[in-house]
Amino acid sequence: MSTINKLCCPFDKNDLKLTEVAKDVEGKIIEGFLSCKKCRRICPIIKGIPIMNPDEYRELK
């Protein structure tokens, strides 16, 4: 099982839906986002790393 499937929403602990944007040649996700069905927050995946910081620590860009 992939580590990304074990992640949950850091705010309400619900399951996250994965949307893949780009993979590398080995099939690893390098760009995409995780979205929570309940609170509708989105956590981007940048260079293969999910950015799951609280809202106040995220850049608005």
Side-chain angles (χ1 to χ4, degrees):
M1 177 182 270
S2 173
T3 303
I4 208 148
N5 293 329
K6 295 179 183 180
L7 296 177
C8 68
C9 178
F11 302 96
D12 56 25
K13 308 301 184 231
N14 281 296
D15 290 335
L16 295 169
K17 178 185 173 197
L18 171 63
T19 302
E20 300 172 4
V21 175
K23 291 183 176 184
D24 65 10
V25 293
E26 297 174 355
K28 296 178 183 176
I29 301 165
I30 54 173
E31 302 292 331
F33 58 90
L34 298 162
S35 57
C36 178
K37 295 176 185 176
K38 185 173 182 183
C39 70
R40 299 188 182 266
R41 283 185 170 88
I42 293 177
C43 301
I45 300 171
I46 302 170
K47 296 183 181 178
I49 301 170
I51 309 300
M52 302 181 79
N53 295 342
D55 295 342
E56 60 268 17
Y57 296 114
R58 293 188 197 190
E59 293 181 26
L60 296 176
K61 298 181 195 177

